[in-house]
Amino acid sequence: SLRGSWRLGNGNGSVVLRGEVPGCVHTALHRRGLIQDPYYRFNDVMYRWISLDNWTYSRTFKTPFDIRKWQKVNLVFEGVDTVAQILINNITLGRTDNMFNRYSFDITSVIKEVNFVEVRFLSAVSYAAEQSRCHKAYSIPPACPPPVQKGECHANFIRKEQCSFSWDWGPSFPTQGIWKDVRIEAYNHYHLIYFSLTSFFVKSAQQWSLEIESIFDVVSSKPIAGLVTVNIPKLQTQQTFGVKLQPGEGSIVLLVNINKSSAVEAWWPNGHGKQTGYNMTTTFIMEAGYQIEKFSKAYFRTVELVQEPIPGSPGLSFYFKINGRPIFIKGSNWIPADSFQDRVTYDTLWLLLKSAADANMNALRVWGGGVYEQDEFYNICDEIGIMIWQDFMFACALYPTDQNYLESVRAEVSHQVRRLKSHPSIILWSGNNENEAAIASNWFSIPYADREVYIKDYVLLYVKNIREIVLTEDKSRPFIASSPTNGLESVKEGWLSQNPYDTHYGDTHFYDYSNDCWNWTVYPKTRFASEYGFQSWPSFSTIEKVSSTEDWSYTSNFSLHRQHHENGNDQMLQQIGHHFKLPQSTDPIKKFKDTIYLTQVMQAQCIKTETEFYRFSQSEIIKGEGHTMGALYWQLNDIWQAPSWASLEYGGKWKLLHYFAQNFFAPLLPVAYEDKDVLYIYGVSDLQAEHKLTLRVVVHAWSSLEPVCTLAKDSVTVKAQSAVLIYMESINNLLERCRNCTRKSCVITFCLVGEGGLQSPTNHHFLSSLKDAVGLEKTHLSASVSQRDDVYIFVLQTTAIAPFVSLDVGRIKGRFSDNGFLMTEKKKVVVFYPWEPTSVEELEESLTLTSLVDVV
């Protein structure tokens, strides 16, 4: 391995330092104290010079083996970011131009006992500009990001993480560096490069089988014969195959049938069963060369994307079946966890993904403007049951299709599919993010006469190249060309539908910041909601790390600088204004903190309303629309400390939205909405069996902790994996039944309770805007903290009903069992799960309790 310390220098040699590999220039400069934290204040703009310079990584290494004994020696880069010339002992081996590719250079004839290796980078920014300049036949939009993003231009001309040139939630840090492993490989006869396994269930035989594919570099000039033995002890399955490796890139595909007398436990998504994997050993014993033993985990699961007619509705369904069972997809969208990939550790990934599972999510979409994630990401998803919708890395742009570009993309796609296809968590390949929509809705104002050339490019790139490779390399999961798309309908229309947002087909992305988000009628009753969201600000403790005192106001230069979405800060205030009073405090820091709190309350309540709408639409067709089978809100995580659509802040802290998600994605949930002054409550269930439950509906006056009236409806049937109406009553009836109540003075809470401790979260329905609420009193909130084993118990007490009670322990890492809740009882117990050692004293000192009535 050539990991470790390399020499790093800029173009004219004025900056020289040690840089870690894997790593990048920015983190090396920061580690050596030559720059501040790149995320601090305005440093994204101050440090543009780093990306505009051309840096070189170099080092010497002693060859740890006798060169004469090996037929082939390679220098292998798992990832180079991005444009570089690679030299060893002053001989150019080749060039790299794709961050997502693996590069292997044959150094057999040039390696010595002591070697000097150099990676000479070219600024990604200048390379992209140059590529765009050279594309003379026609322009490929967009040229530059909107000014509010403070980004670099022509990201679509370089095969690099697209959001590294800026996005509407992230900074521009077009990094340079060796971002993955680099090593020397030496071998004789043959060498294993890729090894993958995919499972199939053969219906006719009622038997599971595994397809095992091994791709070798075969050095010998004639075929090599040998034996391969596959052993899965737990499934009493062992098979030996006679094989022959052809010279060059030799590949072997083996089909292993699992012993029928063994009960195979399938892999299930989070909330639907276990994620069983079986240890498997594959041994290659060839007549030449030595034996290779490969240890891996075999998982068994099938996936099907169902698109078929629905009675009573035009169009087609769009839902996933896992192991033959339809699954409602609950989750979010994943973006890169950092601008600097070398800072994304296993722990970073574990924390974020575990937080997704803890919020009852079963899926994430790896969005197409970031990176194909590291192996660990997918391993964790395999272990905890998070299904992955995997985009290819193309987003919100048109792309070139010249020969060199296509060859680079073809290599990228085949490498990534080979690398990733063994993961049961990946359930779908998707060609790009929003590029079908970009052409269909003409985002880039292309004159009608010129459309054809772009349509031709689109089909050439995503269908004739990417799709073709995916279907050749992986027959085990579905492929769609874009998101949003109309699925089979888009295919029928030549891969570009007239309206990819059509609710009767495929998936939709939906954003609306001007309408009142509590009004469910504005949401599309779509087959599958793969993107939707609202912004909020991260906690003060997260902002504090990268700002200084003068930045702590909602209208400061800093607050404006961090907002990369046009009018984003105003849109949040406007959305808050529909239902809440805006903060008026004369203390500027209190006002800032109150505003942050309200943006999080607003975001949580908006996405709750929208997600509940998608969940209760799963079993019904209304005016030809419905059967919604997926809700992935935008977005799960953050790339830096800034206002964004995320529910997890940079560093992993849960926003109120993430706590709400734990409830609105609960396996069993009652959901309420109003239509023409009638209250409807649906029972939504992801459970495998039908349940007879009791629905408890409690009406509270804002002015009292004693309920005004309580209704218990017994033996309510909630069907398995569906959403059914379980209660309806006109609001007038309800208010009459509960005397002394008006829309403004009362609030409704409700939950489902069953046998053996089965219980849903308690949900709430507001009868008016909270800014109009009558009887809300200033409450005295207090908490006592104690330790129990490795968790902490917070006992909360209130003297009055408290809406949106938020517990915040500042910079102490961890999460609560519940947060942002409506407190309708004198006492509530909340558990704190620490992610690092802390103490009762520390927690007491850091605790801030806020509820809506504290905002003045």
Side-chain angles (χ1 to χ4, degrees), residues 751-787:
C751 71
L752 287 164
V753 185
E755 312 271 283
L758 181 63
Q759 191 169 353
S760 78
T762 297
N763 208 339
H764 58 260
H765 177 71
F766 298 123
L767 294 165
S768 75
S769 287
L770 272 77
K771 63 181 178 186
D772 303 325
V774 173
L776 262 180
E777 291 166 20
K778 183 84 180 131
T779 164
H780 180 66
L781 273 175
S782 62
S784 65
V785 189
S786 59
Q787 187 171 0

Side-chain angles (χ1 to χ4, degrees), residues 208 232-237 258-265 278:
W208 283 99
I232 310 172
K234 265 221 162 127
L235 295 176
Q236 284 98 48
T237 298
I258 303 303
N259 188 335
K260 268 187 157 172
S261 58
S262 296
V264 174
E265 279 188 24
Y278 294 90

